[in-house]
Amino acid sequence: MTLNPADSACAEALRGRLSQDLFRPVEPRYLEEPRGLFKGTAGLLALPRTVEEVSELIRAAARARVPVVPYGGGTGLVGGQICAGGPAPLILSLERMSAIRAVHRLENVIVAEAGAILADVQAAARDAGRLFPLSLAAEGSCRIGGNLSTNAGGVNVLRYGNARDLCLGLEAVLPDGSIWHGLTRLRKDNTGYDLRDLLIGAEGTLGVITAAALKLHPIPASTGTAMLVVPDPAAALELLTLARDLTGDGISAFELIHGEGLAFLDETLPDVRQPFDARPDWCVLIELGLFAGLDAQDMLVRLFETAAARDLALDGVIAQNEAQRDALWAVRERIPEANRLIGAISSHDISLPLAAIPDFIARAGAAVARHGDLRVNCFGHLGDGNLHYNVFPPRGRSKADFAAQREAIKRMVHDLVYALGGSFSAEHGVGRLKVGDLERYADPARLAAMRAIKAALDPHGIMNPGAVLRGPAD
Amino acid sequence: MTLNPADSACAEALRGRLSQDLFRPVEPRYLEEPRGLFKGTAGLLALPRTVEEVSELIRAAARARVPVVPYGGGTGLVGGQICAGGPAPLILSLERMSAIRAVHRLENVIVAEAGAILADVQAAARDAGRLFPLSLAAEGSCRIGGNLSTNAGGVNVLRYGNARDLCLGLEAVLPDGSIWHGLTRLRKDNTGYDLRDLLIGAEGTLGVITAAALKLHPIPASTGTAMLVVPDPAAALELLTLARDLTGDGISAFELIHGEGLAFLDETLPDVRQPFDARPDWCVLIELGLFAGLDAQDMLVRLFETAAARDLALDGVIAQNEAQRDALWAVRERIPEANRLIGAISSHDISLPLAAIPDFIARAGAAVARHGDLRVNCFGHLGDGNLHYNVFPPRGRSKADFAAQREAIKRMVHDLVYALGGSFSAEHGVGRLKVGDLERYADPARLAAMRAIKAALDPHGIMNPGAVLRGPAD
């Protein structure tokens, strides 16, 4: 199974069949990714405007046995969008397919093309008086096709689910160039295998998503935000249960923040206003969205009082207006920036069964300490069991000083996650960065089934080779 | 690809490797299904107690090229559990794997074996102070493995989703006998292809589900039930939007009932107490479940008053106690029984984009009328776009008198559903009854992908042959 490069001969062949203005020179941005871990090789860049053009491109690539890399917003953190080794690929950017095709207000459905920027999908929903709840740091530049291909998560998964849970139907081009017209708006459709969920999260290795029918939700009538100091992660989990018993589905976000993250903000981004005078060890950011005449601020007061009476909350700040809300969210949202400025030795996007989280934090912390006087910033979407567990050098030292220990730390974290029934990739995906982790930790029967499915749907291995599963060139 | 019968030679081979008491004589109930449309051939019946025994059985069947039919509660309505043609199968009943393996209260997760009866899963959740919301007519005898294999729906899909949406992880045996240990309790796990959702809804054709980790929800603090008379289906949809804007996620069920269904109850089950003196053309049954100190009865009054002011509700009954609640639900739940007593010429489990429902009901009604003075009972899960659309003979005539028109009516209904972007099987599945419909209406690219996946994962075609996709013997 050898692939050919998307070289000038390939370009000639493609240009003969397809409109000239589909192609653009490969600018450097298509060959780079946010963390600088992968560098792509320049082949061809095509910018199709219709699903038929995508089909033609894939069909041509399949004939020529040329690798194809679907390209969304380029914001992925695991190299899924960068074909770094092997023959130069045809980069297929969906950026010109960015239309909102329809909003079905009564049905709570929006139909968007894959190249639509997430923030634009959110805005179109809001204009129709509805909520599209997928929300993550890159929402201003990531594209919905990439969000679906990577099954993106973010801050509202607790209440509304991840990208998979928000998708009703897909239009996609399969690896032989055939078009699947699957843009259904149906809530129930039990007619055979779930191709939708197979393409979602496949990171472009089983086809190219070109459009999606997505679920909308009502906009909560009253929203509120609070940051509560908790004694420890176990108390944070009890607080979550309490909040759920009280409000049912009312909690949209429940984010854990470690004192180290607040210290990093102090150190690197002193303009971020800290909510507490004394820096707490642990706190949680809670967002409520309520209906039916309920007042979210009142409910947060009630939650705080109940939690305080049970020693689950030691202190708290409830936002009184939009500016205070933004200030609380800024604390959470700027932690990744502070992390980058400090420079992590090793960073992990892990998930765990909720009950295992306190144990994990304790054991991982002890194990990290055996590597030296390192700092750990552990934060994330606690309600989903999703932690961003990042290990940093001591103050005054650089991550480069600890390069030799990086692999051992990574292995320790992932081994412990695996032993506790967790996942080495909660929301970022496998991409090219974690192919080895997948091979190490995945259930062998499932991995064999994945390889069989890949071979069945993409027998020439042209779709995003090397992502998720090891490619012929790896 | 020829399969061999599960005959005495096969039995000898299996008995040599496996414990004697795994096998039982094939009682008639394993060869029958609720509607009497399919009659199975008696091969062997095995009742494994562990996933390892399931694995041994499938491995042996794969070696012997013997068809395997996974058997749950036997309540399916499309013949997925009955191998009617071809070589006699090994029937693999999961009834001895019925344990609730664990309830993780803090995590809102229950782990149940495939043979657990749905009502027992619900009860185990309730005992832990949690809700397992999957609920359907057969819940006293259907088993959770079958619910997952068919992606069962029911009355609470509107709020909590179908079986797929309630599943976090699976343990399953693949067609080569390998065991997939995928009982994760994680809410986020982006590590490769979604094998879970591929097995869910595959109706036993890609493997056997042996256990599942399932999502639990908090039990609403206040519940309420009402039946409201609406002018027409379009008004019912507006009422649904109104109810959602008012209560957010508070509506657990929103069922449409046609006057014909009430007339059928009068005719066949006069003990069912009707809620209105004058029989309405259309009404809806609404179930609310609220948190945070809200009172569901008060909210239903508010909903009724708001709806009445907009001419969306003409009359209404709000249950004041549990007995009245049960009486309202009995109206909805006993309609299928009345239907059976009348005897349908043709019955359909369809779904439509919500906005297309009024148009569908009008056009289908006009088309049915061209076949004679027939009666239509159209009811179902309106909030999900899922209608049970059933056509009956005039009073005093029998369905046998219209047997010749059955196919034409069925085709008309399904063609219209297809034209409006709907599905010919909302929740019952394809089974063996609707294989032809799938071939007629499925997107060709998707159907080709389904066949490729089936061939890749089950190259000998032993798993439930003839269900979903046409088998070698069909």
Side-chain angles (χ1 to χ4, degrees):
Chain A
M1 211 161 59
T2 316
L3 295 174
N4 302 313
D7 56 14
S8 53
C10 168
E12 280 316 300
L14 285 174
R15 287 205 179 94
R17 297 173 158 267
L18 287 155
S19 157
Q20 195 69 12
D21 76 342
L22 271 186
F23 300 91
R24 291 269 188 287
V26 187
E27 290 170 43
R29 66 188 174 98
Y30 295 101
L31 307 174
E32 294 159 358
E33 46 81 32
R35 299 210 278 198
L37 301 172
F38 297 90
K39 180 84 190 157
T41 44
L44 287 172
L45 172 67
L47 287 72
R49 288 154 302 197
T50 65
V51 64
E52 289 77 18
E53 287 180 347
V54 176
S55 168
E56 276 297 315
L57 285 161
I58 302 278
R59 230 177 262 283
R63 264 194 309 269
R65 306 283 192 270
V66 161
V68 178
V69 179
Y71 197 90
T75 61
L77 294 172
V78 289
Q81 70 277 45
I82 300 291
C83 205
L90 169 66
I91 298 168
L92 200 151
S93 171
L94 280 296
E95 67 203 80
R96 286 210 279 191
M97 290 185 69
S98 61
I100 303 295
R101 288 198 192 156
V103 181
H104 302 271
R105 194 174 181 280
L106 179 80
E107 299 180 7
N108 286 300
V109 174
I110 190 168
V111 181
E113 291 188 339
I117 287 175
L118 175 53
D120 293 339
V121 180
Q122 295 167 346
R126 207 160 38 235
D127 289 347
R130 291 289 182 269
L131 174 71
F132 182 63
L134 190 68
S135 176
L136 47 130
E139 63 196 24
S141 53
C142 63
R143 297 175 190 272
I144 193 69
N147 295 144
L148 289 163
S149 292
T150 58
N151 187 28
V155 292
N156 289 332
V157 174
L158 179 63
R159 180 171 189 163
Y160 299 103
N162 46 25
R164 181 185 307 289
D165 299 308
L166 296 170
C167 182
L168 291 170
L170 291 179
E171 175 190 89
V173 176
L174 301 183
D176 64 354
S178 62
I179 300 172
W180 171 35
H181 296 283
L183 274 185
T184 170
R185 285 135 50 200
L186 304 174
R187 305 272 163 173
K188 280 182 173 174
D189 179 14
N190 279 350
T191 54
Y193 304 161
D194 184 2
L195 193 57
R196 177 191 69 200
D197 285 313
L198 193 60
L199 288 183
I200 293 173
E203 306 186 29
T205 63
L206 298 177
V208 183
I209 294 169
T210 55
L214 303 161
K215 291 183 197 168
L216 301 178
H217 287 265
I219 299 173
S222 171
T223 57
T225 308
M227 197 172 284
L228 304 190
V229 176
V230 294
D232 52 43
L237 287 170
E238 282 190 62
L239 178 62
L240 174 61
T241 298
L242 178 66
R244 272 183 168 151
D245 287 343
L246 201 61
T247 71
D249 307 311
I251 312 155
S252 334
F254 196 89
E255 299 284 306
L256 182 71
I257 297 171
H258 187 225
E260 195 71 78
L262 302 176
F264 282 10
L265 289 173
D266 257 352
E267 187 178 332
T268 61
L269 300 166
D271 62 304
V272 175
R273 191 155 155 214
Q274 301 253 351
F276 304 107
D277 294 335
R279 186 187 305 142
D281 274 352
W282 295 99
C283 54
V284 291
L285 181 65
I286 305 174
E287 176 98 4
L288 272 188
L290 302 177
F291 291 86
L294 290 170
D295 184 276
Q297 277 186 41
D298 291 351
M299 188 63 71
L300 286 168
V301 171
R302 200 169 133 198
L303 174 64
F304 173 72
E305 286 172 355
T306 315
R310 299 186 196 177
D311 296 327
L312 299 176
L314 307 174
D315 194 359
V317 174
I318 298 173
Q320 302 299 315
N321 53 48
E322 202 60 17
Q324 290 182 7
R325 176 190 183 278
D326 292 348
L328 289 182
W329 270 103
V331 172
R332 165 63 183 86
E333 284 171 347
R334 297 194 71 188
I335 287 176
E337 190 182 342
N339 286 346
R340 274 191 296 275
L341 291 169
I342 303 272
I345 301 168
S346 176
S347 56
H348 308 272
D349 162 45
I350 57 174
S351 65
L352 290 152
L354 283 191
I357 286 178
D359 193 27
F360 169 81
I361 290 176
R363 287 166 67 179
V368 167
R370 289 196 286 276
H371 286 272
D373 189 23
L374 305 178
R375 292 179 291 177
V376 171
N377 187 11
C378 167
F379 66 105
H381 319 299
L382 186 70
D384 315 318
N386 179 189
L387 298 179
H388 299 300
Y389 190 89
N390 300 347
V391 180
F392 297 85
R395 205 164 170 153
R397 304 279 300 278
S398 136
K399 65 177 178 178
D401 302 343
F402 295 84
Q405 283 166 266
R406 197 184 160 275
E407 272 309 303
I409 292 170
K410 188 189 122 191
R411 174 64 57 86
M412 177 280 293
V413 170
H414 287 179
D415 281 356
L416 183 57
V417 164
Y418 178 76
L420 293 171
S423 167
F424 64 85
S425 181
E427 56 180 15
H428 295 170
V430 177
R432 291 177 172 81
L433 185 63
K434 298 182 181 174
V435 172
D437 292 299
L438 183 68
E439 290 170 346
R440 181 175 175 84
Y441 298 109
D443 175 89
R446 175 168 167 261
L447 196 55
M450 283 175 56
R451 289 182 175 131
I453 291 165
K454 170 71 174 175
L457 296 183
D458 184 16
H460 308 306
I462 62 165
M463 289 308 308
N464 212 5
V468 185
L469 297 169
R470 204 167 288 276
D474 302 317
Chain B
M1 210 162 60
T2 317
L3 294 175
N4 302 314
D7 56 14
S8 52
C10 169
E12 280 316 300
L14 284 175
R15 287 204 179 94
R17 298 173 158 267
L18 287 154
S19 157
Q20 195 69 10
D21 76 340
L22 270 186
F23 298 92
R24 292 269 187 287
V26 187
E27 290 171 41
R29 65 187 175 98
Y30 294 102
L31 306 174
E32 294 160 358
E33 46 81 30
R35 299 209 280 198
L37 301 172
F38 297 89
K39 179 85 189 155
T41 45
L44 287 172
L45 172 66
L47 285 74
R49 289 154 300 195
T50 64
V51 64
E52 290 77 18
E53 287 181 348
V54 175
S55 168
E56 277 297 316
L57 285 161
I58 302 278
R59 229 177 262 283
R63 264 194 309 270
R65 306 283 193 269
V66 161
V68 178
V69 180
Y71 197 90
T75 60
L77 294 170
V78 289
Q81 71 276 48
I82 301 291
C83 204
L90 170 66
I91 298 169
L92 200 151
S93 171
L94 280 296
E95 66 202 82
R96 286 210 279 191
M97 290 186 68
S98 61
I100 304 295
R101 288 198 192 157
V103 181
H104 301 272
R105 193 175 183 278
L106 179 81
E107 299 179 7
N108 286 300
V109 174
I110 190 168
V111 181
E113 290 188 339
I117 288 176
L118 174 52
D120 293 339
V121 181
Q122 295 167 346
R126 207 160 39 236
D127 288 348
R130 292 289 181 268
L131 175 72
F132 182 63
L134 190 68
S135 175
L136 47 131
E139 62 196 24
S141 54
C142 63
R143 296 174 191 272
I144 193 69
N147 295 143
L148 289 163
S149 291
T150 58
N151 187 25
V155 293
N156 289 332
V157 174
L158 178 63
R159 179 170 190 164
Y160 298 103
N162 46 25
R164 181 187 306 290
D165 299 309
L166 295 171
C167 182
L168 290 170
L170 291 179
E171 174 191 88
V173 176
L174 301 183
D176 64 354
S178 63
I179 301 172
W180 171 35
H181 296 283
L183 274 185
T184 169
R185 286 135 51 200
L186 303 174
R187 306 273 162 172
K188 281 183 173 173
D189 180 14
N190 279 349
T191 54
Y193 304 162
D194 185 3
L195 193 57
R196 176 191 70 200
D197 285 313
L198 194 58
L199 289 183
I200 294 174
E203 305 187 31
T205 63
L206 298 177
V208 184
I209 293 170
T210 56
L214 302 161
K215 289 182 201 171
L216 301 178
H217 287 265
I219 299 174
S222 172
T223 57
T225 308
M227 199 174 282
L228 305 189
V229 176
V230 293
D232 51 43
L237 287 170
E238 280 189 64
L239 178 61
L240 173 61
T241 297
L242 178 66
R244 272 182 169 154
D245 286 343
L246 202 60
T247 72
D249 307 312
I251 312 155
S252 336
F254 197 88
E255 299 284 305
L256 182 70
I257 297 171
H258 187 225
E260 195 70 79
L262 302 177
F264 282 9
L265 289 173
D266 257 352
E267 188 178 331
T268 62
L269 300 167
D271 62 303
V272 175
R273 188 152 157 219
Q274 300 253 351
F276 303 106
D277 294 335
R279 185 186 305 141
D281 274 352
W282 294 99
C283 54
V284 291
L285 180 65
I286 305 174
E287 177 99 4
L288 272 189
L290 301 179
F291 290 86
L294 290 169
D295 184 276
Q297 279 186 39
D298 291 351
M299 188 63 71
L300 286 167
V301 171
R302 198 168 135 200
L303 175 63
F304 173 72
E305 286 172 354
T306 315
R310 299 186 196 177
D311 296 325
L312 299 176
L314 309 174
D315 196 359
V317 174
I318 297 173
Q320 302 299 314
N321 52 49
E322 202 62 17
Q324 290 182 8
R325 177 192 183 276
D326 292 347
L328 290 181
W329 270 103
V331 173
R332 165 63 184 87
E333 283 172 348
R334 297 194 70 187
I335 287 175
E337 190 182 343
N339 285 346
R340 275 191 294 277
L341 291 167
I342 303 273
I345 301 168
S346 176
S347 56
H348 309 271
D349 162 45
I350 58 174
S351 64
L352 291 152
L354 283 190
I357 286 177
D359 193 26
F360 169 81
I361 290 176
R363 287 166 68 181
V368 167
R370 288 196 286 275
H371 286 272
D373 190 22
L374 305 178
R375 292 180 290 178
V376 171
N377 186 13
C378 167
F379 66 105
H381 318 298
L382 186 70
D384 314 319
N386 179 191
L387 298 178
H388 299 301
Y389 191 88
N390 299 349
V391 181
F392 297 85
R395 205 166 173 153
R397 303 278 301 278
S398 139
K399 65 178 179 177
D401 302 344
F402 295 85
Q405 283 167 265
R406 196 184 161 277
E407 272 309 305
I409 291 171
K410 189 189 122 188
R411 175 63 57 87
M412 178 280 292
V413 170
H414 288 178
D415 281 356
L416 184 56
V417 164
Y418 179 75
L420 292 171
S423 167
F424 63 86
S425 181
E427 55 180 15
H428 294 170
V430 176
R432 289 177 173 80
L433 185 64
K434 298 182 180 174
V435 172
D437 291 301
L438 184 68
E439 290 170 346
R440 183 176 173 83
Y441 298 110
D443 176 89
R446 176 167 166 262
L447 196 54
M450 283 174 57
R451 289 182 176 131
I453 291 165
K454 170 72 174 173
L457 296 184
D458 184 16
H460 308 306
I462 62 164
M463 288 308 309
N464 212 4
V468 185
L469 296 169
R470 204 167 289 275
D474 303 318

